[in-house]
């Protein structure tokens, strides 16, 4: 009995992932998000679901902070073949939230995986180098954050 339940769960996960990926390909991002959430309800540590959902949130649903949570889960459970995608996603996440030193570290960790002999690899390398330069600029030109501001009517 437990074997059939396990198979059913795996089958449901596979089906939801397939639906989510097809929805992304069609530009139906809300449907994709629902399907990724279904997978993560069944298995919160599912590597591909965390990674793909995190990237979907960042790239298409304009929820970069929420994306970070899923990308961090994916990194924790990652395998070597998924590291470049995770490094790029987390680099962009940390860059977005203003943690530029950490963003640089993730971008640098991605660099050895970039296939610079291909057109897409050269484009990615350029994007990563531009992002690193942007982070360095932000660090160099950062303005201290004022912790508390009070305004009084005069």
């Amino acid at each position: 009995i437990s074997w059939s339940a396990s198979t059913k769960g795996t089958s449901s996960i596979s089906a939801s992932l397939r639906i989510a990926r097809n929805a992304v390909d069609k530009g139906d991002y809300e449907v994709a998000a629902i399907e990724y959430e279904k997978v993560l309800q069944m298995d919160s540590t599912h590597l591909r679901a965390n990674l793909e959902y995190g990237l979907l949130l960042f790239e298409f649903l304009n929820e970069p902070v929420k994306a970070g949570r899923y990308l961090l889960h994916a990194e924790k459970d990652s395998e070597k073949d998924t590291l470049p995608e995770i490094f790029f996603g987390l680099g962009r996440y940390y860059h977005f939230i203003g943690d530029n030193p950490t963003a640089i570290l993730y971008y640098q960790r991605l660099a050895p995986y970039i296939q610079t002999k291909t057109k897409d690899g050269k484009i990615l390398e350029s994007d990563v180098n531009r992002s690193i330069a942007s982070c360095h600029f932000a660090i160099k030109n950062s303005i201290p954050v004022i912790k508390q501001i009070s305004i009084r009517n005069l």
Side-chain angles (χ1 to χ4, degrees):
I1 295 174
S2 65
W3 182 81
S4 63
S6 173
T7 303
K8 182 180 178 195
T10 302
S11 175
S12 297
I13 287 174
S14 296
S16 288
L17 283 173
R18 188 172 40 260
I19 293 167
R21 291 170 180 154
N22 288 336
V24 169
D25 289 342
K26 293 176 185 174
D28 197 349
Y29 306 125
E30 296 297 329
V31 168
I34 290 167
E35 293 301 320
Y36 284 124
E37 288 170 0
K38 285 181 187 177
V39 172
L40 293 168
Q41 285 175 353
M42 290 182 266
D43 179 2
S44 65
T45 64
H46 194 281
L47 173 65
R48 293 306 303 185
N50 275 298
L51 172 61
E52 293 171 18
Y53 187 41
L55 294 173
L56 174 74
L57 289 166
F58 195 97
E59 292 289 326
F60 301 111
L61 296 177
N62 196 29
E63 295 190 52
V65 174
K66 186 176 177 182
R69 184 174 87 214
Y70 294 98
L71 293 169
L72 288 167
H73 279 294
E75 180 187 33
K76 184 179 74 167
D77 300 320
S78 67
E79 299 165 3
K80 189 173 182 173
D81 65 333
T82 58
L83 288 176
E85 294 170 290
I86 294 169
F87 291 159
F88 188 58
L90 285 170
R92 294 181 70 211
Y93 163 71
Y94 283 111
H95 192 165
F96 177 82
I97 65 168
D99 186 348
N100 293 296
T102 304
I104 291 169
L105 291 174
Y106 277 102
Y107 289 136
Q108 289 173 336
R109 290 172 71 186
L110 170 65
Y113 294 96
I114 299 173
Q115 302 294 321
T116 57
K117 293 181 181 178
T118 67
K119 181 181 177 183
D120 288 340
K122 289 178 184 177
I123 292 169
L124 178 58
E125 180 182 45
S126 176
D127 287 347
V128 169
N129 288 337
R130 189 174 22 257
S131 295
I132 290 171
S134 176
C135 289
H136 282 298
F137 179 85
I139 291 167
K140 181 180 175 187
N141 296 292
S142 65
I143 299 171
V145 176
I146 300 171
K147 301 266 186 208
Q148 183 178 2
I149 298 175
S150 53
I151 300 173
R152 289 187 277 161
N153 289 335
L154 300 176

